[in-house]
């Protein structure tokens, strides 16, 4: 496989995973409100922290990528948001969600620009537009997969709050979720 295809596909899947995580977290917000007794201000604080961290990280990683190499930094971003997504499942309070979603955003905020840059730098001039298009399709495809998983969870009565390992209440999570959706 040509080098530019490896970078294009890596960037595509990196962006896809980031969009998948984003969609899954958005869909879990109603469950978070019920499960952890959050309110909309808490959710806004968590999301705003993630977006601010994402912007700062994108700027910082752009500089670091120029200094240490885009490929290395791209791999680090995928590891960071994968680890951040994992520890989100162990979050149990606004500060722990701010930390886990912030860590996810360090990777996610930098993954897309680094992926696009790698694709543009390695694709042959005549194929650059197509390769960039393939990379950019990672976002809607990732969101679509995320939405499909959410739909399947609902279809089979599996509630998204099962992805959170900590439970504030001794009551089964599906009962809590049913109360807020009734």
């Amino acid at each position: 496989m040509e080098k530019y295809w490896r970078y294009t596909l890596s960037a595509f899947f990196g962006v896809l995973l980031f969009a998948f995580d984003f969609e899954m977290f958005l869909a879990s917000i109603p469950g978070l409100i019920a499960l952890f007794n959050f309110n909309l201000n808490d959710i806004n604080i968590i999301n705003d922290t993630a977006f601010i961290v994402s912007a700062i990280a994108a700027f910082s990683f752009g500089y670091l990528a120029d200094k240490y190499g885009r490929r290395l930094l791209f791999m680090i971003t995928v590891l960071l948001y994968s680890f951040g997504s994992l520890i989100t499942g162990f979050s149990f309070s606004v500060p722990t969600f701010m930390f886990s979603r912030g860590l996810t955003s360090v990777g996610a905020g930098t993954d897309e620009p680094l992926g696009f840059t790698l694709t543009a730098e390695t694709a042959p001039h005549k194929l650059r537009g197509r390769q960039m298009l393939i990379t950019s399709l990672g976002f809607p495809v990732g969101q679509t997969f995320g939405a499909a998983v959410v739909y399947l969870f609902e279809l089979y009565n599996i509630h998204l709050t099962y992805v959170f390992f900590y439970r504030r209440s001794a009551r089964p999570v599906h009962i809590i979720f049913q109360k807020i959706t009734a």
Side-chain angles (χ1 to χ4, degrees), residues 50 60 71 90 120 146 169:
S60 302
R71 191 178 90 176
F90 294 97
S169 170

Side-chain angles (χ1 to χ4, degrees), residues 70-84:
R70 290 172 213 356
R71 191 178 90 176
L72 171 66
L73 270 289
F74 180 76
M75 290 187 291
I76 290 171
T77 65
V78 172
L79 291 174
L80 283 173
Y81 76 69
S82 297
F83 183 67

